[in-house]
């Protein structure tokens, strides 16, 4: 009896080993690692090391070492499967049934099938972007969004044609079962029982895990009267909106290298900063930042710069996100771009260096809150 390997990999990816071990050991930063007194033998001089990037711990005193699962196994005296379960619950990951029966095997097979379907869908949308009917979509990406062909390819942007079931027919021909196709979220069932492509006549943005596997899509409307403007994949066995950060698969190396992360709100805010080169950015895609997302970022850095839209809604979101990040142990700065620009518009109008200067001028969390509290008040007025 065991958990499916994709689930184990997901827990390993989400469970920040420094956060986990800090529940048991007082750790301090020492170069690229963390050090503390070993919890497995008595010592007065710290010889217990934790490496966040490698996801590994080792004691040079007693020789004990391993990954995050091994630590919980040893510390809690649990078997491997119970250690996986405990960490999944700690980091808010839904726990599937253990493999060993028909239903559990079906669950693992479904997850694998969903991943393959999203691979097919990504390739399909990419091909459609090169088709003659997608000419105006290509123009939109280049002229309105200022994206280069290289960036479009790196982000795997695509196009969903207006046909009712173009993708569904392709998935059926590839051998996927109708029930699985419906469970993928790529197809919707109407009230009359018919099944149609969820995304039609939309610019398609693949959403990937930090490992790079596509697990969902965002689709932008291409007609003025098309609603909603942005349509996202529903929650599935693969995809949880509250636990996914757009673009992390592309920028996690930059985040580690630069030791901080810029958090923006939208796909195209991310796209412009990513295209500018070397900026450690992720996007929440218009949703409120969650604890699970913050914990995911803690695997790479403990410093953040929030760069949300300058309107009231964006600044309120920045305030709430700041409070959440501080509660999770982050150092937080906030930047408010001048001229009412969002990051996408600012980069296009003023360029990378001007944006970097804004980052340098970003304010610590508490200063940002004080500025918001004082906004609109005449602090010089006599009482």
């Amino acid at each position: 009896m065991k958990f499916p390997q994709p689930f184990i990999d997901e827990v390993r990816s989400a469970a920040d080993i420094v956060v986990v071990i800090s529940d048991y050991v007082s750790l301090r930063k020492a170069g690229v690692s963390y050090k503390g007194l070993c919890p497995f033998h008595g010592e007065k001089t710290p010889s217990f090391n934790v490496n966040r990037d490698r996801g590994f711990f080792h004691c040079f005193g007693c020789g004990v070492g391993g990954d995050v699962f091994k630590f919980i196994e040893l510390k809690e005296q649990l078997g491997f499967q119970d250690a996986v379960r405990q960490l999944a619950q700690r980091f808010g990951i839904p726990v599937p049934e253990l493999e060993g029966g028909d239903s559990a095997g079906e669950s693992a097979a479904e997850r694998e099938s969903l991943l393959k379907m999203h691979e097919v869908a990504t390739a399909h949308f990419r091909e459609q972007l090169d088709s003659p009917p997608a000419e105006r979509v290509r123009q939109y990406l280049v002229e309105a969004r200022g994206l280069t062909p290289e960036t479009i390819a790196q982000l795997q942007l695509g196009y969903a044609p207006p046909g009712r079931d173009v993708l569904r027919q392709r998935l059926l021909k590839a051998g996927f079962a109708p029930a699985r196709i419906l469970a993928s979220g790529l197809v919707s069932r109407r009230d009359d029982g018919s099944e149609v492509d969820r995304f039609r006549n939309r610019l398609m943005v693949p959403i990937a895990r930090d490992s790079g596997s596509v697990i969902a899509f965002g689709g932008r409307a291409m007609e003025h009267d098309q609603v909603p403007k942005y349509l996202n994949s529903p929650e599935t066995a693969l995809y949880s909106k509250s636990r996914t950060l757009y673009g992390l698969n592309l920028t996690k190396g930059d985040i580690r290298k630069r030791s901080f992360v810029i958090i923006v709100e939208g796909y195209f805010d991310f796209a412009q900063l990513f295209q500018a080169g070397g900026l450690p950015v992720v996007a929440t895609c218009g949703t409120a930042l969650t604890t699970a997302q913050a914990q995911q970022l803690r695997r790479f850095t403990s410093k953040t710069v929030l760069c949300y839209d300058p309107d009231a809604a964006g600044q309120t979101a920045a305030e709430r996100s700041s409070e959440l990040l501080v509660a999770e142990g982050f150092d937080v700065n906030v930047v408010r771009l001048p001229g009412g620009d969002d990051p996408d518009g600012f980069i296009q109008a003023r360029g990378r260096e001007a944006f970097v200067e804004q980052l340098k001028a970003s304010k610590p969390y508490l200063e940002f809150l004080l500025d918001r509290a004082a906004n609109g008040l005449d602090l010089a007025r006599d009482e």
Side-chain angles (χ1 to χ4, degrees), residues 120-157:
V120 172
T122 302
H124 171 72
F125 296 139
R126 289 287 295 132
E127 292 168 9
Q128 293 296 321
L129 184 62
D130 292 329
S131 67
E135 172 64 25
R136 67 189 182 114
V137 182
R138 296 192 296 272
Q139 289 179 345
Y140 170 80
L141 288 171
V142 174
E143 296 174 8
R145 292 299 185 176
L147 301 183
T148 65
E150 181 183 9
T151 299
I152 292 169
Q154 288 174 309
L155 300 181
Q156 301 187 81
L157 302 180

Side-chain angles (χ1 to χ4, degrees), residues 14-55:
D16 184 331
I17 192 169
V18 172
V19 172
V20 171
I21 293 179
S22 293
D23 289 342
Y24 303 85
V25 179
S26 178
L27 298 174
R28 62 178 178 82
K29 191 80 183 298
V32 297
S33 300
Y34 293 79
K35 295 186 69 173
L37 296 175
C38 180
F40 303 114
H41 82 284
E43 62 177 11
K44 295 182 178 180
T45 302
S47 58
F48 183 79
N49 284 258
V50 183
N51 189 298
R52 171 177 271 145
D53 291 344
R54 295 176 57 200

Side-chain angles (χ1 to χ4, degrees), residues 70 103 127 144 297 316 318 337 344:
K70 176 58 71 174
S103 61
E127 292 168 9
L297 285 175
T316 297
L337 299 175
D344 175 17

Side-chain angles (χ1 to χ4, degrees), residues 312-323:
Q315 294 304 289
T316 297
E319 181 175 338
R320 292 173 179 170
S321 295
S322 296
E323 293 169 350

